């Protein structure tokens, strides 16, 4: 999944694109940005709840949110909080289905393509052709380390700030843990202070321009699909 800073860049892009077309007050903007972060509040191994995963996919490494399950429960609500939540799920789903395959591939110990978590032992990074153990790939050395290095770029370019979620009183969802929002926002504050300009030059898995372009394309597609604006 994209890091939460990339998700916030998506949220800010959507809000900027909607400016002038939808009457979003400052409170509504805060609700949208907060909603965009809420799926990541389940910090203790409960992502299947907050991300509306299909139980049939639990054994797969590349699990995607089931948008239909979200819409069946909440419909096409215009509550900015729910719309922000949906924007997060949408980017996750598109990212795993359509972006991951062009960046890396999963294989078993015999070099055969695999999708099931318990059979995957190595990952091929298409950018470099390097094959690395799956546990090493999903670490600060590669996958998560790239997100850390890209944070400064996205935070500065999109002027990302933590949402004022404490001012929001109505959270009409039982999939989230509000107690985790403070931890998530403290993490964002820490990331903002510790990231350094130019770190993105050392990423090992992704290509920054392609990742950013994909996120922007998803923002536009989300607006067309769920906001009724062409």
């Amino acid at each position: 999944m994209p890091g939460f800073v990339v998700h916030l860049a998506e949220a800010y892009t959507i809000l900027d694109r909607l400016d002038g077309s939808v009457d979003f007050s400052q409170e509504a903007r805060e609700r949208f940005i907060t909603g965009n972060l809420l799926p990541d509040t389940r910090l203790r191994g409960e992502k299947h709840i907050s991300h509306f995963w299909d139980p049939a996919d639990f054994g797969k490494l590349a699990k995607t949110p089931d948008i239909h399950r979200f819409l069946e429960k909440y419909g096409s609500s215009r509550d900015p909080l729910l719309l922000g939540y949906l924007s997060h799920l949408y980017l996750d789903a598109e990212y795993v289905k359509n972006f991951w395959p062009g960046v890396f591939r999963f294989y078993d110990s015999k070099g055969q393509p695999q999708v099931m978590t318990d059979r995957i032992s190595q990952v091929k990074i298409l950018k470099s052709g390097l094959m690395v153990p799956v546990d090493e790939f999903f670490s600060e050395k590669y996958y998560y380390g790239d997100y850390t290095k890209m944070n400064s770029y996205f935070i500065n370019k999109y002027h990302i700030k933590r949402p004022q979620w404490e001012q929001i009183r109505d959270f009409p969802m039982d999939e989230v843990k509000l107690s985790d929002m403070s931890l998530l926002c403290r993490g964002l504050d820490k990331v903002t202070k510790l990231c350094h300009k130019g770190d993105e030059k050392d990423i090992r898995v992704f290509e920054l321009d392609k990742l950013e372009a994909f996120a922007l394309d998803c923002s536009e597609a989300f607006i067309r699909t769920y906001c009724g604006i062409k």
Side-chain angles (χ1 to χ4, degrees):
M1 306 297 182
F4 61 80
V5 171
V6 176
H7 273 295
L8 286 173
E10 173 212 19
Y12 277 67
T13 298
I14 292 171
L15 288 173
D16 288 345
R17 175 73 169 78
L18 291 176
D19 189 32
S21 300
V22 177
D23 184 17
F24 266 180
S25 65
Q26 184 58 40
E27 179 183 356
R29 289 178 65 90
E30 293 296 337
R31 284 183 71 83
F32 185 88
I33 295 168
T34 298
N36 185 267
L37 283 179
L38 282 177
D40 282 341
T41 58
R42 290 272 182 172
L43 300 177
R44 297 169 181 82
E46 298 174 319
K47 295 293 185 185
H48 64 285
I49 298 173
S50 62
H51 283 73
F52 290 82
W53 288 342
D54 186 335
D57 291 336
F58 282 3
K60 298 178 182 178
L61 194 153
K63 295 179 281 289
T64 61
D66 186 338
I67 302 295
H68 295 296
R69 293 181 68 229
F70 176 90
L71 293 176
E72 282 178 359
K73 182 170 184 179
Y74 294 106
S76 55
S77 172
R78 285 296 177 261
D79 180 342
L81 187 87
L82 292 172
L83 200 59
Y85 198 107
L86 180 58
S87 73
H88 181 116
L89 299 183
Y90 181 80
L91 180 58
D92 273 357
E94 291 298 309
Y95 190 78
V96 172
K97 288 187 295 185
N98 298 317
F99 188 69
W100 268 16
V103 181
F104 48 83
R105 306 279 175 82
F106 300 122
Y107 297 92
D108 61 20
S109 59
K110 297 180 180 179
Q112 297 299 311
Q114 292 291 348
V115 297
M116 306 306 290
T117 301
D118 60 356
R119 298 178 184 175
I120 294 170
S121 62
Q122 50 190 342
V123 183
K124 183 176 183 178
I125 302 172
L126 301 185
K127 176 181 176 180
S128 62
L130 189 65
M131 191 80 80
V132 299
V134 62
D135 291 341
E136 187 176 353
F137 176 78
F138 286 108
S139 74
E140 283 295 315
K141 187 174 181 179
Y142 291 102
Y143 186 87
Y144 294 117
D146 272 17
Y147 284 148
T148 299
K149 293 171 184 175
M150 290 188 289
N151 281 338
S152 176
Y153 174 84
F154 285 107
I155 288 171
N156 289 311
K157 181 170 182 177
Y158 294 91
H159 308 291
I160 290 171
K161 298 179 181 178
R162 69 187 298 276
Q164 300 302 311
W165 68 275
E166 300 92 341
Q167 301 175 14
I168 298 174
R169 296 291 178 260
D170 178 25
F171 286 88
M173 306 185 72
D174 55 17
E175 287 83 9
V176 303
K177 278 194 173 180
L178 291 185
S179 58
D180 288 343
M181 272 299 289
S182 59
L183 295 175
L184 196 65
C185 287
R186 283 204 298 271
L188 178 59
D189 290 339
K190 183 177 180 179
V191 163
T192 302
K193 292 177 181 178
L194 296 180
C195 61
H196 302 93
K197 185 177 180 180
D199 283 350
E200 69 275 5
K201 296 177 182 178
D202 297 324
I203 57 179
R204 307 182 69 178
V205 176
F206 299 97
E207 294 182 60
L208 178 59
D209 57 342
K210 293 182 179 179
L211 172 57
E212 183 177 21
F214 185 85
L216 295 179
D217 286 345
C218 284
S219 298
E220 290 292 330
F222 177 82
I223 291 169
R224 292 193 302 271
T225 305
Y226 298 106
C227 301
I229 297 175
K230 306 300 182 182

